[in-house]
């Protein structure tokens, strides 16, 4: 069984954007392939654990995105906790960079 994790950015109920560099910085060490026609980055954590990362770029400016999907994060038993799972850890890094202390998007 697989699942997907979604992160979308909204401000005042409307779609909003954040710098694509935040996602790039978080996942860059694990990106093994980029498929621009699908706005997909393939990330691999080891020989047996990989996932597809689909980015929602701003149609007029790829330096901004409104969110992304992690398709099929690794389901390796030792990697199930958010602390140990690299995909979950990277999602946490993105969320920490995007949110301010009062919970409002930066």
């Amino acid at each position: 069984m697989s699942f997907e994790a979604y992160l979308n950015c909204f401000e005042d109920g409307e779609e909003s954007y954040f710098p694509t560099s935040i996602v790039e910085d978080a996942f860059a060490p694990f990106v093994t392939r980029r498929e621009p026609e699908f706005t997909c980055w393939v990330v691999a954590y080891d020989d047996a654990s990989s996932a597809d990362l689909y980015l929602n770029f701003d149609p007029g400016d790829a330096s901004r995105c409104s969110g992304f999907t992690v398709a099929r994060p690794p389901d390796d038993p030792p990697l199930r906790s958010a602390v140990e799972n690299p995909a979950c850890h990277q999602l946490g890094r993105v969320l920490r960079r995007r949110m301010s202390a009062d919970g409002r998007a930066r």
Side-chain angles (χ1 to χ4, degrees), residues 8-32:
N8 292 300
C9 182
F10 294 91
E11 186 170 347
D12 297 324
E14 300 292 326
E15 180 180 42
S16 187
Y17 296 91
F18 59 93
T20 302
S21 62
I22 294 174
V23 182
E24 176 78 34
D25 292 347
F27 287 93
F30 306 104
V31 174
T32 58

Side-chain angles (χ1 to χ4, degrees), residues 1-102:
M1 183 166 117
S2 67
F3 67 96
E4 295 176 339
Y6 298 90
L7 182 137
N8 292 300
C9 182
F10 294 91
E11 186 170 347
D12 297 324
E14 300 292 326
E15 180 180 42
S16 187
Y17 296 91
F18 59 93
T20 302
S21 62
I22 294 174
V23 182
E24 176 78 34
D25 292 347
F27 287 93
F30 306 104
V31 174
T32 58
R33 186 172 73 246
R34 294 171 194 259
E35 299 176 1
E37 66 275 14
F38 302 112
T39 64
C40 176
W41 298 350
V42 178
V43 294
Y45 305 105
D46 57 39
D47 291 339
S49 300
S50 66
D52 295 331
L53 189 69
Y54 294 93
L55 290 95
N56 304 326
F57 292 118
D58 177 341
D61 182 2
S63 71
R64 303 180 337 145
C65 65
S66 64
F68 59 93
T69 302
V70 180
R72 297 177 312 285
D75 191 30
D76 220 328
L79 300 177
R80 285 191 182 144
S81 81
V83 173
E84 295 176 19
N85 184 320
C88 291
H89 176 73
Q90 298 315 110
L91 281 171
R93 285 185 63 198
V94 170
L95 289 170
R96 282 190 296 276
R97 294 248 343 247
R98 183 67 187 130
M99 300 302 293
S100 65
D102 66 2

